[in-house]
Amino acid sequence: MRFIVRLFALIGLFGVLLTAGLVLLAIKAKDKQPTLPQAVVLEFNFERPLAEAPGEDGWTSLIGNRRGSVREVVDALEQASRDPRVKGLVAKVGNASQGIGTTQELRDAITRFRATGRFAYVHAESFGDAGSGMSPYYLASAFDQVWLQPVGTVGITGIAVTQTFFRGALDSIGVQPQISKRADYKTAAETFAEKQATPANREMTESLAGDLYDQMVLGIAEGRHLGPDAVKAAIDRAPLLDSEALADKLVDKLGYLDEVETAAKERAGGKAAGADTVDLLSYGKIAGSAFGQGPTIALIVGEGEIVRGGKDKSAFSDEASFAANRIADAFDTATAQPGVKAILFRVNSPGGSPVGSEVVRHAVDRARAAGKPVVISMGDVAGSGGYWVAMDADRIVALPGTLTGSIGVLGGKFVAKGLADKLGVGVDQVTRGANATIWSPASPYTDSEAARQDAMLDAIYTQFTDGVAKGRKLDIDKVRQLAKGRVYTGRQAKDLGLVDALGGYDIALQQVRQVAGIPSTANLHIIQFPKPKSGYEMVLDLLNGNAAAQMASAAEARGAEKVLADYGPLLDMIQPVVRAAKRQEQVLMMPDLGVNGAGR
């Protein structure tokens, strides 16, 4: 009997291994790409949101729901501009999915692509529709032909910054915000601490909105070969009907997406000549990176809120990850590689934990001390902690529209004693230590606790301003004057000395060449740290049980329903393998169970 059980166990084991092997082969086959035709028109939907770094989609990459990244789009366009098979680009846009900084990065890449003699057509069903179409049209203006679907509108209505203040609502329910800031322009907490914008808030917001508006007007004017006054006049009359946009030379043709694609193929040589459309990201995988052999540059990406700790990014999370220890480990790993000549650190973060930010800043210092220059490339935002991690780098590069700075700090708590009283909830505390209730929402700060809170904020603010003065080689009095928690555009920050150059990845790589002593004409070999897991590796994680723990963590962070909705198809595919593996484990335990009488 045991022989038969073991025989079936062996057969079952081979079955599980065969099934797992087929899954792995399917994943590897999925990565194989077809060859390219001799005449290619690239296509891409810019309404799709983009991550900052390749490989940040986890399991979504295995079920056809991959986002793609800014880096991949820019790299693919760079490679395509050198490929004689690529004749042009046809894209779709219409609704905003990128920030202004990212939009500028994409505009620059499209402009460089066109500068090689290739064409770029863009189509929109409507720019903005019921919302603002300013940002998507700003992107579209970098193309040499803009098509609009009939009945669509061009909603370039300008820039509106709406702030909501909840202090009155909190007062009405008995919740008291006790928040301190360093200094006047550190306005993030005003949402809860004020009933309307403070004068400093209003001043800063006016400055940001004004500069971003000017940048977009000038970009549209240059792209459409119009005067800035003509663009401003069109904005003041928007939303524009399709016929009005055509008359104002904001669009070139009215038509449908299939008509744009046909026109693009005809310009590329027609179907008879073998012209065909290929997705931009698929092309990038087929053609390979534009950056091949040459000095090795490490690319590290920090995106999202900066948090303490964290080693590995969950494969079941498509959220941005800026875990301090994960980024610091990436720096240490890259620094230990003898072939790495420099580190390019892409930062897109509104800030977060001061402690986590300091962990990353120190990792930057360690890399530089080991002889690895560090260049920062800023995305949509590098505020507060996002600037803290950058201030010691050899060079800082921001896009003109990057929200930069906010050199400041805030902290505090919400006291809910009044709310508890209104609800009839009694609260009693027993304490030992003068400042035991400093974090408690049940009571306001005592004088001693308020003093300690101020001391912590003062210390962090002093360390921040001193660090900026040292890292940026600026006079400390100047730093104190321009700090105060104020946010600047990248263009303003450049004038103030907070950044060294304006641009995206291409300008940042120029800076890398300069600080690393690499000739400007030399090719670069760019390697991402930490290396994204391949589909093959993720399946291995699944089979050894790591994926289950990652999914549980993701479900806790994002909600089980959303995780199951995102990954249900994948789970359906692999569940038979998992169930078989579990059955196999139980079968192999049969001899031990037999000792207790089971299976005899």
Side-chain angles (χ1 to χ4, degrees), residues 384-396:
S384 197
Y387 191 81
W388 184 302
V389 302
M391 61 187 178
D392 280 353
D394 293 272
R395 302 281 173 84
I396 299 178

Side-chain angles (χ1 to χ4, degrees), residues 88-305:
L89 168 70
V90 59
K92 182 179 179 181
V93 74
N95 291 318
S97 61
Q98 323 297 342
I100 292 180
T102 297
T103 298
Q104 291 174 333
E105 177 100 49
L106 298 173
R107 289 182 90 254
D108 290 346
I110 292 163
T111 300
R112 293 193 299 273
F113 176 79
R114 289 180 56 198
T116 62
R118 292 162 174 82
F119 67 86
Y121 294 170
V122 66
H123 180 269
E125 294 174 352
S126 188
F127 286 103
D129 208 10
S132 174
M134 196 74 178
S135 181
Y137 184 79
Y138 181 42
L139 174 60
S141 66
F143 291 73
D144 51 328
Q145 278 195 19
V146 179
W147 290 56
L148 177 67
Q149 180 175 294
V151 190
T153 58
V154 177
I156 50 171
T157 53
I159 292 178
V161 180
T162 302
Q163 301 184 67
T164 306
F165 300 91
F166 295 99
R167 179 59 186 269
L170 293 176
D171 287 346
S172 69
I173 62 174
V175 175
Q176 177 190 3
Q178 287 193 317
I179 303 174
S180 300
K181 61 185 180 181
R182 303 294 185 275
D184 297 344
Y185 298 96
K186 193 71 175 180
T187 60
E190 287 188 13
T191 295
F192 306 104
E194 304 291 342
K195 295 183 178 180
Q196 62 182 19
T198 61
N201 184 340
R202 187 76 185 182
E203 176 193 350
M204 180 176 68
T205 305
E206 290 275 6
S207 176
L208 291 171
D211 193 43
L212 293 175
Y213 176 79
D214 289 343
Q215 290 182 36
M216 296 175 83
V217 166
L218 291 175
I220 292 170
E222 180 181 351
R224 298 302 302 162
H225 306 292
L226 299 170
D229 290 341
V231 174
K232 291 178 181 179
I235 290 172
D236 290 340
R237 291 189 294 109
L240 300 170
L241 303 177
D242 52 3
S243 58
E244 294 172 327
L246 187 63
D248 287 348
K249 303 185 186 310
L250 294 174
V251 302
D252 297 288
K253 294 185 179 182
L254 302 181
Y256 300 90
L257 182 59
D258 60 298
E259 295 175 333
V260 182
E261 292 173 342
T262 299
K265 289 178 181 179
E266 289 176 353
R267 180 164 174 178
K271 280 195 173 182
D276 204 355
T277 56
V278 177
D279 178 74
L280 179 64
L281 295 182
S282 297
Y283 166 81
K285 284 190 172 183
I286 299 169
S289 173
F291 301 92
Q293 298 302 315
T296 299
I297 305 300
L299 171 63
I300 299 173
V301 178
E303 182 180 13
E305 180 184 356

Side-chain angles (χ1 to χ4, degrees), residues 263-521:
K265 289 178 181 179
E266 289 176 353
R267 180 164 174 178
K271 280 195 173 182
D276 204 355
T277 56
V278 177
D279 178 74
L280 179 64
L281 295 182
S282 297
Y283 166 81
K285 284 190 172 183
I286 299 169
S289 173
F291 301 92
Q293 298 302 315
T296 299
I297 305 300
L299 171 63
I300 299 173
V301 178
E303 182 180 13
E305 180 184 356
I306 300 171
V307 296
R308 292 178 58 192
K311 287 287 186 180
D312 295 319
K313 183 180 185 298
S314 170
F316 281 101
S317 173
D318 57 7
E319 301 294 330
S321 174
F322 202 148
N325 287 350
R326 178 173 179 262
I327 299 298
D329 285 352
F331 266 93
D332 291 342
T333 302
T335 300
Q337 300 292 321
V340 171
K341 301 301 181 185
I343 298 172
L344 175 60
F345 186 20
R346 178 75 166 195
V347 175
N348 188 12
S349 171
S353 165
V355 174
S357 300
E358 177 63 10
V359 168
V360 177
R361 185 206 63 80
H362 184 55
V364 172
D365 273 357
R366 287 199 303 273
R368 297 181 66 215
K372 311 288 185 181
V374 178
V375 172
I376 306 295
S377 173
M378 293 178 170
D380 287 326
V381 57
S384 197
Y387 191 81
W388 184 302
V389 302
M391 61 187 178
D392 280 353
D394 293 272
R395 302 281 173 84
I396 299 178
V397 180
L399 291 147
T402 300
L403 298 181
T404 312
S406 186
I407 302 169
V409 62
L410 59 82
K413 66 179 181 178
F414 293 90
V415 180
K417 185 178 184 304
L419 176 61
D421 291 341
K422 286 178 181 289
L423 297 175
V425 177
V427 178
D428 185 38
Q429 292 181 313
V430 176
T431 66
R432 295 293 186 274
N435 303 321
T437 61
I438 189 170
W439 311 123
S440 172
S443 58
Y445 288 125
T446 65
D447 289 344
S448 174
E449 290 168 349
R452 293 314 305 159
Q453 174 74 348
D454 285 340
M456 288 188 291
L457 294 180
D458 288 338
I460 293 172
Y461 185 61
T462 297
Q463 187 174 354
F464 203 168
T465 52
D466 288 351
V468 172
K470 179 182 177 182
R472 298 281 80 219
K473 298 179 174 57
L474 297 172
D475 181 76
I476 184 61
D477 291 332
K478 178 180 178 180
V479 172
R480 289 169 182 160
Q481 185 62 34
L482 61 86
K484 300 181 181 179
R486 182 158 185 165
V487 179
Y488 301 94
T489 67
R491 187 165 72 167
Q492 293 169 336
K494 169 69 166 59
D495 293 338
L496 294 171
L498 295 176
V499 304
D500 298 295
L502 295 179
Y505 274 109
D506 63 317
I507 301 300
L509 289 173
Q510 289 179 16
Q511 298 291 320
V512 166
R513 288 182 170 93
Q514 290 179 16
V515 298
I518 301 171
S520 59
T521 56

